[in-house]
Amino acid sequence: MTVYLVRRLGFLVISFAIAMVVLFLLLRVLPGDPANALLSVNATQEQIDAARAQVGADLPLFQQFTDWFGGVLSLDLGSSFISSLPVGPEIAARMSVTIPLTLLSFALALLIALPAGFIAAVRADRWYGILLSGFSQLGIAVPVFWVGMLLVNVFAVNLRWLPSGGFPRDDWANPGAALTSLALPVITIALVMSASLTRYIRSATLDVIGSDYLRSARAQGASFSGAFWRHGLRNGIVPVISILGIELATTFLGAVVVESVFTLPGLGSMLLTAIQQHDYPNIQGILLVSTLLVLVIGFLADVAQRLIDPRLRTSISGNGIR
Amino acid sequence: MKRSTGAIALSVAAALALSGCAAGGGTSDTGAATATDATIEVGSLYEPQNLSNVGGGGQGVTEALTGNVYEGLFRLTDAGEVEPVLAASNTVSDDGLTYTFTLQDGVTFHSGDPLTSADVKSSIERVTAEDSQSARKSSFKTIADIQTPDDATVTITLSEPSISFIYNLSYIWVVNDAATDLKTTEDGTGPYTVGDWKRGSSLSLDRWSDYWGEQASNKEVVFNYFTDATALSNALVTNQIDVITSVQSPDQLSQFTDNPDFVVNDGNSTTKELLAFNDKVAPFDQVAVRKAVYSAIDTEKLLNSVWGDYGTLIGSMVPPTDPWYEDLTQVNPYDPALSEKLLAEAGLADGFEFTLDTPSYDPHPAVAEFLQSELAKVGITVNINTISADEWYSKVFKERNFEATLQEHVNDRDVVWYGNPDFYWGYNNPQVTEWVAEAERASSTDEQTAKLKLVNEQIAQDAASVWLYLYPQIVVASSDISGYGVNGLNSQFFVSKIVRG
C-alpha cells in the first residue's frame, strides 16, 4: 500500500507539472492581447507598448513561464493584470463561496441519488422504479443553467421564498443568510448532478443483484437484505466511488456555470471575467488551483477504492514490489 | 466603443438638484428626514476592475465613482452641460491660451488633507502621464504648462486654443497628490467614501459627513454587479435592488412597463450603432456606393425590431444631446429605387458582394442578419463574418483589414473622429479635417458649433458610414425611489440625490 501511495503521489505531481505547462502554453496561443483589455480603442501604440511592459507581456515566453513557475513554487501566484490585486488571496476569497457550494451540492445530490438509484434498481419492475429511471434519464439531458433559471422563476420571482441571486456582503458572518443565498444554486446543481449519479448507482445495484455471489449467499439461506448489505454493498461501492471522484470534480466545474446564473462571487465568475480580459495571472491561478483540486479528488478516490477492495490492493502493490 | 472601455452613460440628479429641481424619472420630491438614512441598492452590469480611471478599470469606474467619490474642476451634467464643481471661478486669456482657475474654499479629501492647486496639477498629470491608460489622454495634448502660483490658483497654458478644454476637464478627477495605490483605495473629495469592495459582487459607498457641499440625501449606496441581464432584472423584480443603471436588452423590459411598482425611464444615450465601411477599399471608396447601401436599409424597421418602441433614428454621428445636432435623417432616405439607381451610376447595376465583420455580442449579429436581407433586395450580397471583441480590435481597428463592420460608438461629441483620416474607417475628406481643426481652435462655442455642423452635414452627404440608430438609454427603477438621472452621458450615475419614499 505504501508503495502504491508513493507511486500514486508521484503520478499526481507529474500530472500537475504537465498541466501547468499545457495551461501556460494554451493561454498564450489564444488570439488577443491583454493590453487590449486595459485600453480603449483610441489608444496609441505607445500606450499599448506601455501596457504590455507593465504586465510583463512583452517578455519572452520562456521567461514569463519561469517567472510564473518560480512564483508558484513559493506559493505566489502573481498579481492580476487588471486590478493589480494579488491572485492568491483573491482565489481564497472566492473559494469561500465555491467550496461550500460544491460540497453542499454534492452532499445533496448523493442524498437524492443513493435512495433513488437503489429503489430504481431493486424496484425496477414497479411503476415508481420505472418513473425514477425515467426522471434520471431526463435529468441528464437538461442543461444546468436552464434548471437554474427555472428555479429562479418559480421560487424567487413568483413565490418570493428565496433570493434570485447574490451573496451577503459580509460573507459568512451571518451563516443563515449565506445559506439562504446558496439554497437555490445548491438545489440546481444537486438536481442535475443527482440524475447521472442515480444512473450509476442504479446500474451498480443491478450488477450486485444479478451477481453470482449474491445468489450463492441467498442459496445458503441469507435473506435478500442480509446478503445485500453484507456482501453486495462492499462489492458494489467500489465502482461507485471511482465515479463519485469524477462526479465531485464535475460538480466543482458545474458550480462555475451556476455562479453566473445566480451572481455568486465565486471562482467561476472570477474565471469568466478573467478570460474576457486576458488576465493571464488570474486565469492561470484559477485553473492551477482547480486542476490541483481535481487531481487531489481523483487521488483520494483511488486510495479509498483500494482501502475498500483488497483485490485491488494486492494486484497493484504486488507489481510494485517485483 | 468596446463596452468595457467606452463611455456609455447615465447621469443624474446631482446636477438637477444643483440647478434647483428634484427630478429625473422619480415622482416625489426629497422626502422626509427619515429617508436620509436610506440605503440605495443599485444594479449594474459594469463592475469596475479596479478603482482607477487611468488603469483599465472600465466604464464601471466612472459609473460608481465619478461625481460620487471623485469630483473634477467641472462636471458634465445629466443634461449634457458643463458646470463648475471644484473650480470656484475661471478666466481665459484673450488669445484663448491661458486658463486661470480659482479653487473652492474649504474642500478636503477623504483622508483629511486640504485640496490645493498642487493636487489639481498632479491630477491632470496623472491622466496625461506616459503610463496612463485613460481614454481621454489624447484630449490633453495641447497642455503646454501648468503653474500653481498659490494654493488656491491653477494656471494652465495651452500650445494652441482648444474650445473643448473646459469640457475635457470634466473627465479629470481631482485626486490627493499624496495618495498611493489608487487601484484598490481612493482619496477624492466627493460626497461618498468607498466602503466595502467585494470583488465579483458589490461596491458600497458611504456618505461622508465632512463633505464640503450639500450632504448626500442617503446614507449608503451599494452597487451590485451582475454578469447576466436576466439575473439583473430578477433582482429588481424581487426588490433586491432599487434601480438598474442601464438596461441592455429590450426583452427584459416587458415585465416592468405595465407595472405600477416600477418606472421605466427612456433617456437620451450617445451610443450609436454604425455600419462602418472601410472608405479606402473598393467599392466603398465611391460615395455613390456608400449612399446606395445607406438608402437600401430601412433603419426604422431595424430599430423597431431590435428595441421595439425605444431608441432614436439618426442621420449622422451626432446625437441630439451634442450641441451641433441637426436632424439629417433625410439626407440618405430609405429608398430602394434610389439605391438601385446609385448602384447603376457606380457601374454596379448587377450588385456586388462584401464581407461584414460582425462582433459576436448583442445586438450586432441580429443587425447583421437584418442588413443581409435588406441589401439582398438591391442585389448586394453580404457575407457575415462573426468575430470576437478582441479580434475586432486587432483585425478591424488596428490592422484595418476589413471591408465593412458593425460597431457601437458610445462617446458623446465623437463626430470629430471623422476629421482624423487615420481612424479605422479611413474616411479622408481634407475639408472635413480642416473644419474639425478649426472648430477646436474656435474662439467661441458658436463658432465651434457652426464648424461642426458643417462637418456633420458633409459626412452625411458623403455617407461616410451608415448611422443605423441611436441606442435608447433606459433606467428602470422601483417607484419607491427618486432623484436619479436618466440620460446616457459618459457612464456617469450620480447617486447623492437619490431618496426612498
Side-chain angles (χ1 to χ4, degrees):
Chain A
M1 190 67 188
T2 320
V3 175
Y4 171 74
L5 274 183
V6 171
R7 284 178 47 163
R8 188 63 183 72
L9 260 179
F11 175 69
L12 189 147
V13 170
I14 292 167
S15 323
F16 188 60
I18 294 172
M20 274 180 71
V21 177
V22 171
L23 228 158
F24 182 88
L25 290 178
L26 273 182
L27 284 181
R28 291 328 190 264
V29 300
L30 281 180
D33 187 322
N36 294 359
L38 279 166
L39 297 168
S40 69
V41 289
N42 41 357
T44 61
Q45 190 58 45
E46 294 91 77
Q47 276 178 297
I48 294 167
D49 293 343
R52 289 176 58 88
Q54 190 183 328
V55 298
D58 58 340
L59 297 173
L61 260 194
F62 185 70
Q63 194 182 341
Q64 287 187 47
F65 181 74
T66 49
D67 285 356
W68 179 60
F69 189 77
V72 170
L73 290 184
S74 56
L75 296 180
D76 175 9
L77 295 177
S79 291
S80 157
F81 282 171
I82 310 288
S83 69
S84 43
L85 291 171
V87 175
E90 178 74 22
I91 289 178
R94 301 299 188 112
M95 288 287 210
S96 76
V97 176
T98 303
I99 297 282
L101 175 63
T102 306
L103 292 182
L104 287 172
S105 307
F106 191 65
L108 183 62
L110 270 183
L111 219 59
I112 299 170
L114 279 177
F118 183 72
I119 292 170
V122 177
R123 297 286 177 261
D125 50 349
R126 303 285 182 83
W127 65 268
Y128 52 89
I130 294 167
L131 198 69
L132 280 172
S133 275
F135 267 122
S136 66
Q137 197 73 274
L138 188 73
I140 291 170
V142 171
V144 63
F145 69 88
W146 185 81
V147 174
M149 282 159 60
L150 198 75
L151 290 177
V152 166
N153 231 318
V154 175
F155 293 102
V157 174
N158 286 313
L159 294 173
R160 304 285 168 97
W161 289 353
L162 291 163
S164 62
F167 198 70
R169 265 186 295 144
D170 48 7
D171 285 319
W172 288 88
N174 178 354
L179 285 174
T180 312
S181 299
L182 287 184
L184 279 183
V186 163
I187 295 170
T188 303
I189 301 176
L191 278 181
V192 173
M193 226 57 240
S194 65
S196 52
L197 275 179
T198 302
R199 303 294 304 169
Y200 291 127
I201 290 166
R202 177 177 169 273
S203 62
T205 313
L206 282 176
D207 281 351
V208 169
I209 291 173
S211 65
D212 295 342
Y213 61 80
L214 202 74
R215 194 189 53 199
S216 308
R218 298 228 31 209
Q220 289 172 357
S223 69
F224 173 77
S225 60
F228 188 87
W229 292 118
R230 189 171 155 72
H231 304 285
L233 190 64
R234 191 159 181 176
N235 274 298
I237 205 153
V238 172
V240 171
I241 283 182
S242 76
I243 291 295
L244 287 187
I246 297 168
E247 291 285 295
L248 180 56
T250 317
T251 312
F252 178 69
L253 301 177
V256 170
V257 177
V258 166
E259 279 170 13
S260 99
V261 174
F262 289 96
T263 326
L264 293 172
L267 218 51
S269 54
M270 181 180 173
L271 180 62
L272 286 183
T273 317
I275 289 173
Q276 280 164 9
Q277 297 169 327
H278 292 277
D279 194 346
Y280 295 151
N282 269 354
I283 305 176
Q284 282 163 189
I286 298 165
L287 293 184
L288 190 82
V289 172
S290 326
T291 309
L292 187 62
L293 279 177
V294 170
L295 288 174
V296 168
I297 292 170
F299 172 75
L300 292 179
D302 279 2
V303 172
Q305 271 182 303
R306 270 153 192 84
L307 285 178
I308 292 170
D309 191 339
R311 287 170 300 186
L312 290 170
R313 251 183 344 243
T314 47
S315 67
I316 304 286
S317 61
N319 285 339
I321 290 162
R322 271 170 221 131
Chain B
M1 318 189 207
K2 262 168 74 182
R3 251 299 113 108
S4 57
T5 50
I8 289 208
L10 270 199
S11 38
V12 178
L16 294 167
L18 277 180
S19 61
C21 60
T27 45
S28 66
D29 203 337
T30 314
T34 52
T36 60
D37 284 332
T39 294
I40 306 295
E41 302 278 346
V42 177
S44 167
L45 291 171
Y46 310 111
E47 185 185 4
Q49 297 312 312
N50 57 55
L51 300 181
S52 166
N53 66 341
V54 297
Q59 77 184 77
V61 174
T62 311
E63 185 177 85
L65 303 184
T66 300
N68 301 324
V69 171
Y70 288 105
E71 298 175 308
L73 290 175
F74 297 88
R75 106 168 92 214
L76 188 67
T77 68
D78 196 39
E81 277 149 21
V82 178
E83 63 178 23
V85 182
L86 294 177
S89 68
N90 68 292
T91 56
V92 189
S93 65
D94 289 341
D95 60 5
L97 291 177
T98 308
Y99 287 73
T100 306
F101 303 95
T102 310
L103 303 182
Q104 285 282 0
D105 233 12
V107 179
T108 54
F109 288 101
H110 299 150
S111 60
D113 291 354
L115 166 70
T116 68
S117 52
D119 297 311
V120 176
K121 181 172 194 274
S122 81
S123 297
I124 296 172
E125 287 165 353
R126 225 178 127 241
V127 172
T128 58
E130 186 76 20
D131 63 349
S132 156
Q133 290 147 12
S134 167
R136 297 288 166 171
K137 188 174 172 179
S138 57
S139 314
F140 298 98
K141 275 191 298 214
T142 53
I143 294 181
D145 184 42
I146 307 174
Q147 290 294 326
T148 54
D150 62 59
D151 275 358
T153 311
V154 183
T155 306
I156 299 175
T157 312
L158 304 182
S159 53
E160 57 185 89
S162 170
I163 190 76
S164 312
F165 185 57
I166 296 282
Y167 163 81
N168 288 333
L169 280 179
S170 72
Y171 290 101
I172 293 192
W173 292 349
V174 174
V175 183
N176 188 352
D177 60 359
T180 53
D181 189 20
L182 289 163
K183 282 190 167 181
T184 54
T185 61
E186 54 89 9
D187 199 5
T189 62
Y192 297 89
T193 59
V194 167
D196 199 21
W197 181 26
K198 192 163 161 43
R199 308 239 312 127
S201 170
S202 64
L203 176 73
S204 72
L205 307 181
D206 298 332
R207 180 170 57 202
W208 186 49
S209 54
D210 292 330
Y211 181 53
W212 63 276
E214 197 185 328
Q215 286 278 303
S217 307
N218 50 60
K219 186 165 150 279
E220 184 189 30
V221 175
V222 183
F223 283 85
N224 299 277
Y225 296 109
F226 294 79
T227 48
D228 180 86
T230 312
L232 178 56
S233 304
N234 285 339
L236 183 59
V237 171
T238 57
N239 300 320
Q240 286 175 43
I241 58 171
D242 299 309
V243 55
I244 297 177
T245 60
S246 174
V247 173
Q248 290 302 320
S249 156
D251 309 341
Q252 310 296 332
L253 284 173
S254 55
Q255 55 192 325
F256 301 114
T257 40
D258 295 318
N259 188 332
D261 293 340
F262 300 99
V263 182
V264 177
N265 301 279
D266 191 3
N268 296 308
S269 93
T270 56
T271 304
K272 300 148 290 263
E273 176 74 359
L274 259 70
L275 164 57
F277 306 113
N278 186 342
D279 293 2
K280 287 194 167 133
V281 306
F284 299 125
D285 53 347
Q286 298 182 65
V287 174
V289 175
R290 300 199 299 253
K291 290 178 85 72
V293 171
Y294 209 141
S295 284
I297 301 168
D298 186 349
T299 50
E300 191 174 350
K301 194 166 138 201
L302 171 65
L303 176 60
N304 191 270
S305 70
V306 177
W307 276 104
D309 296 333
Y310 298 94
T312 315
L313 294 176
I314 44 173
S316 82
M317 190 68 170
V318 182
T321 43
D322 281 356
W324 31 89
Y325 170 77
E326 295 170 273
D327 184 353
L328 297 170
T329 46
Q330 288 315 306
V331 175
N332 293 292
Y334 171 57
D335 185 347
L338 172 66
S339 174
E340 280 168 354
K341 188 169 146 265
L342 286 165
L343 282 177
E345 278 172 24
L348 292 168
D350 297 334
F352 64 99
E353 191 172 336
F354 73 93
T355 299
L356 181 62
D357 285 331
T358 305
S360 57
Y361 55 92
D362 285 340
H364 306 302
V367 171
E369 280 179 26
F370 181 88
L371 297 183
Q372 193 175 41
S373 75
E374 288 288 275
L375 294 177
K377 294 175 196 162
V378 295
I380 302 173
T381 307
V382 179
N383 301 313
I384 298 174
N385 176 35
T386 306
I387 56 178
S388 71
D390 225 51
E391 282 174 275
W392 187 89
Y393 186 83
S394 45
K395 178 176 189 284
V396 177
F397 189 76
K398 277 163 61 178
E399 291 161 24
R400 317 283 154 83
N401 174 20
F402 74 109
E403 291 180 278
T405 187
L406 291 172
Q407 184 56 257
E408 83 274 16
H409 283 251
V410 301
N411 293 317
D412 65 332
R413 306 192 178 194
D414 56 3
V415 66
V416 294
W417 287 345
Y418 285 95
N420 176 2
D422 296 326
F423 205 57
Y424 81 91
W425 49 48
Y427 176 69
N428 186 1
N429 181 332
Q431 177 67 70
V432 167
T433 306
E434 180 57 27
W435 279 330
V436 168
E438 283 171 11
E440 192 52 28
R441 290 195 302 264
S443 54
S444 71
T445 50
D446 286 349
E447 189 186 339
Q448 178 196 22
T449 302
K451 290 289 181 197
L452 289 179
K453 277 188 173 166
L454 291 174
V455 169
N456 200 3
E457 288 157 15
Q458 188 61 48
I459 59 170
Q461 293 292 343
D462 289 346
S465 306
V466 177
W467 301 278
L468 294 164
Y469 59 82
L470 186 69
Y471 283 48
Q473 172 59 37
I474 299 172
V475 178
V476 184
S478 148
S479 34
D480 265 4
I481 66 161
S482 58
Y484 48 88
V486 298
N487 287 325
L489 290 177
N490 299 325
S491 303
Q492 298 176 133
F493 195 75
F494 303 148
V495 294
S496 73
K497 298 298 165 191
I498 301 182
V499 291
R500 188 188 298 284

